[in-house]
Amino acid sequence: MAKTILDMDVVIVGAGPAGIAAAVTASRFGLKTALVEDSPGPGGQVWQETPSGRPWSRRWLNRLRACGAQVLGGTTAVCPVDQRTLLVETLDDHHVLAWRHLILATGARELLLPMPGWTVPGVFGAAGLARLAKNGWPVAGKKVVVAGSGPLLLPAALTLKRYGARIALIAEQAPIGRLIGFALACMYLAPAKLLQAWLYGLRLANVRYKMGCWPASVEGDVCLKKVSLVHKGLKIAIDCDILACGFGLVPNLELARLLGCSIQQGVVCVDQWQRTSVPGIYAAGEQTCIAGMEHAILSGRIAALVIAGQYQEARPMLGACSRARRFGHALARAFALRPEVLGLADQETIICRCEDVTAGQLQPYTDWRKARLMKRCGMGPCQGRICGAALSHIKAWPYPTARPPLLPTRIATLIEGTMAVQKAANEAKGDQI
Amino acid sequence: MKLTCDIAIVGAGIVGTACAYYLAQEGLKVIVIERGPVGGGSTGSCMGHIVVLHDSVPHLALTSFGRQLWQQISLGLPEGVEYNQCGTIWLATTQQQIQQLRSQQTYYNQYGIATQLLDQDALCDAEPCLRKGVAGGLYVPDDAVIYPPAAACYLLAMAQSNGAMLLQGCQVMAIGPDGSIRLQGNQIIYAGIIINAAGCWASQLDRQLPIIKRKGHLAVTDRSGAVLRHQVVEVSYLQSVRQDAGASVAFNVQPRKTGQILIGSSRQIGAEGTEVEMPVLAHMLQRAVEWMPILANLKVIRAWAGHRPSTPDHLPMIGPCPGNERVWLATGHEGLGLTTSLATAHLIANMIAGRPCQIDPGPYLPGRLLQGTYA
């Protein structure tokens, strides 16, 4: 059963701020645009629609609704079928999207680092738990330690607090000296962010916040009981119910890698117009630089304007976009991970959670290929998304090559999607004759 | 430093490590040279079946001997090797194919290979998820599947415990008729005998070797696949194997010990890269769904492609190069390297020691394909 192919001028993957801004902008110029998003609705990790959504995000979501772009929610990118098509899958169906321009706006995910006990129920990603709480996961009355690194710990803690969690401690691994330097840099690069951080600080005023402090291990069997942290060379143990722990963000590069886009220093390489190394493919947002929402919106708009040929309108944004990227670089320097947090795992600590591979089992191996071949590391359903990011930090292993499908995909999808593309190609050939 | 040894094996795939396994047992000083991971070439991307194949008499002899040797060591294999004697079921749809299975059975009986014919009902009991109306099958109970790279690692580790040495990360630049091997960086190793077990890459060491790469695709499902009990192959698989041009697919699925289903197979000539080609993958998967409709709703977690090292007559090259008794070949096993690795190594060990072999090595001697080229 070969289905028809959806012909699009612009296909955008990822409906976070970058993807939404790109879709709204592209639609303004009459470009037929489709926006593909894993989650049921648009918004991404930061603009997810909730009753308490902020006016800014609501405004963009309203613009998206009004702009005429086709939003494909609950839809996962599987792989390209040929050079100009993308196969996507939904809960019970699939589509082939043919594109003239492709914008990758797949965003970033939390970096989770293995430590003894991190697989015990009760250990969550910090931003992940905040998102779960917004969707009704019960945190009320739970005693939570928020730990790890990066500016996202604060809004995560605030969200958890808003939903009734008791925040025992926020532990930031970066040392205080570097954070002061970062705050000074922000005065010039992103004063609004500084204000935002200060507001978070006010609202979390009665919560303990320690800098130069990081989690070292987790205790508990059926569920988490105690978290041990290190601060000023001393161990602190805190009895709690939940550890919400994220060590910053890592870009989602799987699709870019599969499409052959050049990737350097952990991000997709783009020029000032957000063009990747592959003609017709653009990238915007966090996968080009972890620099926050303003950068995501700007880069998404620039990519769409370039596609529409509106360089006049894009040019004035370049300065702000580059300033936002400088903010991103300052952010990366300030919250760079200390070697201690990269070496928390002991021999028994599981690194690959899909295939239960421990740090001890990985010790003899020097690269991904060997670890995969011998221990199945990274060969489970997540295809190395968790352990791959961790190992690229811990062992500096480059990511393995990407292969289709990007995520577990129904066999019917792979067959029918490919056949649809072949059929269309044959018909096109027939027309020429 | 001058490195000398009795035997230098180029390539730590399943064939090279099997050679090391037997030769080190003989007390010979063995060095294995591998540029990549152990079992990282065809071994790391293949299906891992240990099957008797009846394509020709020499095939049957080598595969059944190989399977017998695997069976002998199977009890000592570590869990990670995932040896699973699940048996093979060959499927027939037409009366003509049933007839084919009958003659296959007679043929197997002559060689003492256990088989059982399954009628439509028996087949349905054995593999309930096959599509209805498959005419019958031939069950070969002693066939097995294995996780190939772990098997290569095990064989190498056993060889190492008998004194063999592994030089890993070393690219062989040239091999000389005097038994010298020049490595990248100009280190030279002198060996009494060099065994070229470099699989698809054997012809990089000797341009005259007629090794043809046959690309194959595979896909593996997630762990929800408890719908298969045996390795299942369609009879026309053999036609696919013999095909010498273009791309062909055949239904071949395996239950893995992990609860996953491994789905094959495809054959292409003239496809150099190992990138996954969607049209071939989709074609192969569709063939699988035609036989086992339930597969359509299972999820593929990974697909990949690799190469089989084949020869013009589809038989491996095992033994000394004509005109140069110091350079031996153990390559060209196509899709049967796993099955025949131990048999290959056994033949080589016996030939080197000057002992009689358990099966006639004649059909596999490289001279048949290299006549004249080594004068």
Side-chain angles (χ1 to χ4, degrees):
Chain A
M1 183 196 65
K3 292 206 295 189
T4 48
I5 295 172
L6 302 175
D7 258 312
M8 291 290 160
D9 294 320
V10 184
V11 169
I12 303 164
V13 183
I20 292 174
V24 169
T25 309
S27 303
R28 242 176 65 207
F29 298 98
L31 294 167
K32 203 174 161 199
T33 303
L35 183 54
V36 176
E37 168 61 36
D38 272 332
S39 304
Q45 302 299 337
V46 287
W47 282 354
Q48 204 206 359
E49 262 190 313
T50 57
S52 59
R54 272 164 297 176
W56 207 24
S57 62
R58 232 177 294 153
R59 204 156 57 227
W60 273 106
L61 288 166
N62 286 337
R63 279 183 204 154
L64 177 66
R65 257 188 295 275
C67 79
Q70 194 171 348
V71 180
L72 303 170
T75 303
T76 307
V78 173
C79 60
V81 180
D82 64 11
Q83 279 194 343
R84 280 287 188 267
T85 54
L86 183 69
L87 177 60
V88 298
E89 187 177 74
T90 63
L91 192 60
D92 54 7
D93 203 1
H94 61 268
H95 308 283
V96 175
L97 305 173
W99 49 268
R100 292 201 293 123
H101 308 275
L102 181 65
I103 303 180
L104 306 176
T106 50
R109 59 177 177 264
E110 267 183 296
L111 175 63
L112 308 172
L113 291 176
M115 66 182 93
W118 75 304
T119 51
V120 168
V123 182
F124 292 81
L129 181 62
R131 183 158 183 187
L132 281 173
K134 286 183 193 169
N135 284 309
W137 185 272
V139 294
K142 296 270 164 53
K143 191 172 169 190
V144 180
V145 170
V146 178
S149 194
L152 286 181
L153 293 182
L154 296 179
L158 192 61
T159 302
L160 296 173
K161 191 168 168 245
R162 192 165 353 112
Y163 284 90
R166 293 177 291 141
I167 310 295
L169 172 70
I170 302 172
E172 165 61 57
Q173 59 88 38
I176 185 162
R178 261 202 270 134
L179 295 185
I180 291 172
F182 176 63
L184 291 175
C186 283
M187 283 181 172
Y188 164 69
L189 289 171
K193 297 256 184 212
L194 209 55
L195 179 69
Q196 202 182 14
W198 181 67
L199 288 174
Y200 282 133
L202 277 187
R203 279 179 278 177
L204 290 163
N206 51 355
V207 173
R208 273 201 295 169
Y209 182 81
K210 283 188 200 292
M211 285 166 272
C213 176
W214 61 92
S217 66
V218 174
E219 282 171 48
D221 33 51
V222 285
C223 64
L224 184 152
K225 291 208 171 77
K226 189 189 280 181
V227 175
S228 293
L229 301 105
V230 179
H231 186 232
K232 292 183 178 161
L234 295 173
K235 267 224 157 122
I236 338 169
I238 299 179
D239 292 324
C240 60
D241 305 306
I242 288 174
L243 171 64
C245 187
F247 288 90
L249 298 176
V250 284
N252 293 319
L253 299 174
E254 289 74 16
L255 181 56
R257 203 175 279 125
L258 190 58
L259 290 162
C261 301
S262 162
I263 289 165
Q264 270 169 27
Q265 289 167 344
V267 293
V268 180
C269 300
V270 287
D271 63 8
Q272 60 173 344
W273 305 113
Q274 305 301 132
R275 290 182 294 212
T276 70
S277 61
V278 180
I281 303 182
Y282 300 71
E286 302 282 76
Q287 60 179 333
T288 61
C289 180
I290 305 277
M293 197 163 62
E294 291 77 10
H295 169 257
I297 295 171
L298 281 167
S299 57
R301 288 172 68 190
I302 292 171
L305 287 170
V306 169
I307 288 169
Q310 305 293 321
Y311 290 88
Q312 285 300 331
E313 195 181 330
R315 196 160 281 120
M317 296 178 193
L318 297 180
C321 195
S322 132
R323 196 160 59 244
R325 269 199 296 274
R326 288 217 299 285
F327 165 74
H329 298 149
L331 188 75
R333 280 193 299 274
F335 293 96
L337 295 177
R338 57 174 71 230
E340 291 95 324
V341 301
L342 299 178
L344 292 175
D346 63 21
Q347 294 287 302
E348 273 77 53
T349 307
I350 286 177
I351 305 287
C352 169
R353 303 179 66 139
C354 296
E355 297 286 334
D356 284 353
V357 185
T358 63
Q361 287 174 306
L362 285 179
Q363 205 148 35
Y365 305 107
T366 49
D367 63 50
W368 259 112
R369 180 135 169 76
K370 288 178 196 156
R372 283 172 79 123
L373 279 172
M374 293 309 153
K375 294 292 170 219
R376 297 184 183 280
C377 186
M379 281 165 71
C382 95
Q383 285 293 289
R385 276 170 177 71
I386 307 289
C387 65
L391 288 171
S392 80
H393 283 82
I394 297 172
K395 295 203 180 208
W397 286 357
Y399 283 83
T401 47
R403 280 180 303 214
L406 285 169
L407 279 170
T409 302
R410 279 191 306 279
I411 287 176
T413 295
L414 294 170
I415 296 172
E416 289 165 20
T418 308
M419 304 249 162
V421 172
Q422 284 180 304
K423 191 176 158 221
N426 287 339
E427 280 168 6
K429 243 184 250 164
D431 288 347
Q432 278 170 17
I433 296 164
Chain B
M1 189 190 69
K2 193 174 157 184
L3 213 46
T4 60
C5 59
D6 299 317
I7 311 278
I9 300 168
V10 183
I14 196 68
V15 174
T17 54
C19 289
Y21 175 78
Y22 282 122
L23 292 166
Q25 267 179 15
E26 310 248 329
L28 294 167
K29 191 182 171 198
V30 176
I31 293 180
V32 181
I33 307 161
E34 171 58 56
R35 63 179 175 185
V38 174
S42 303
T43 303
S45 49
C46 72
M47 279 191 104
H49 43 212
I50 297 173
V51 293
V52 170
L53 213 70
H54 51 286
D55 202 22
S56 63
V57 175
H59 259 134
L60 186 64
L62 196 64
T63 52
S64 67
F65 181 40
R67 193 184 73 173
Q68 182 195 330
L69 292 171
W70 277 111
Q71 253 178 330
Q72 280 167 14
I73 68 164
S74 64
L75 285 178
L77 294 174
E79 208 183 324
V81 175
E82 294 176 25
Y83 182 87
N84 177 12
Q85 197 179 310
C86 57
T88 303
I89 298 178
W90 294 85
L91 298 179
T93 44
T94 61
Q95 279 313 309
Q96 192 197 347
Q97 284 179 337
I98 294 271
Q99 214 44 54
Q100 211 177 318
L101 290 184
R102 288 220 171 86
S103 55
Q104 186 179 343
Q105 187 179 33
T106 321
Y107 192 27
Y108 279 17
N109 280 342
Q110 290 167 10
Y111 284 83
I113 297 159
T115 55
Q116 188 190 340
L117 268 174
L118 306 176
D119 63 16
Q120 208 165 332
D121 291 340
L123 187 58
C124 198
D125 285 344
E127 286 298 343
C129 291
L130 279 175
R131 80 168 136 86
K132 300 287 167 263
V134 179
L138 184 70
Y139 175 42
V140 188
D142 294 332
D143 284 352
V145 299
I146 205 167
Y147 184 58
C153 253
Y154 167 76
L155 294 176
L156 183 69
M158 296 309 283
Q160 284 172 308
S161 71
N162 282 320
M165 205 173 112
L166 170 69
L167 290 181
Q168 203 169 7
C170 297
Q171 168 98 38
V172 173
M173 304 308 288
I175 52 180
D178 57 344
S180 66
I181 296 181
R182 190 160 58 80
L183 301 179
Q184 200 167 27
N186 273 332
Q187 194 189 359
I188 309 271
I189 296 172
Y190 292 95
I193 286 177
I194 299 168
I195 299 176
N196 181 350
C200 283
W201 300 271
S203 46
Q204 285 179 5
L205 300 176
D206 180 348
R207 304 230 162 268
Q208 305 182 72
L209 297 183
I211 296 288
I212 305 150
K213 283 184 178 178
R214 275 167 202 262
K215 185 171 177 175
H217 284 71
L218 289 173
V220 70
T221 69
D222 62 14
R223 292 188 182 224
S224 62
V227 296
L228 189 70
R229 298 167 186 171
H230 310 86
Q231 162 160 254
V232 181
V233 194
E234 60 175 310
V235 168
S236 47
Y237 176 79
L238 282 178
Q239 273 93 59
S240 158
V241 170
R242 289 192 201 112
Q243 184 168 330
D244 281 327
S248 67
V249 299
F251 174 58
N252 183 359
V253 288
Q254 288 180 355
R256 304 303 306 190
K257 273 199 166 172
T258 51
Q260 296 170 284
I261 294 179
L262 184 56
I263 305 173
S265 63
S266 74
R267 272 182 154 73
Q268 286 165 274
I269 292 182
E272 272 296 313
T274 56
E275 75 284 358
V276 171
E277 297 166 52
M278 289 303 287
V280 181
L281 177 69
H283 190 190
M284 181 183 94
L285 290 173
Q286 194 189 20
R287 182 69 150 243
V289 169
E290 282 165 12
W291 284 96
M292 261 187 120
I294 200 171
L295 290 177
N297 286 315
L298 291 192
K299 287 190 168 187
V300 161
I301 67 167
R302 200 167 53 253
W304 67 97
H307 287 107
R308 310 170 179 92
S310 78
T311 62
D313 63 1
H314 299 278
L315 281 172
M317 295 188 277
I318 304 169
C321 281
N324 186 352
E325 300 295 310
R326 295 187 80 157
V327 178
W328 288 47
L329 297 175
T331 183
H333 293 74
E334 199 163 343
L336 291 168
L338 247 293
T339 307
T340 59
S341 53
L342 292 176
T344 299
H346 208 272
L347 289 178
I348 284 188
N350 280 328
M351 284 193 274
I352 286 176
R355 290 187 301 254
C357 296
Q358 258 164 294
I359 59 168
D360 175 18
Y364 323 109
L365 291 173
R368 71 183 196 280
L369 296 169
L370 299 171
Q371 251 350 316
T373 57
Y374 272 80

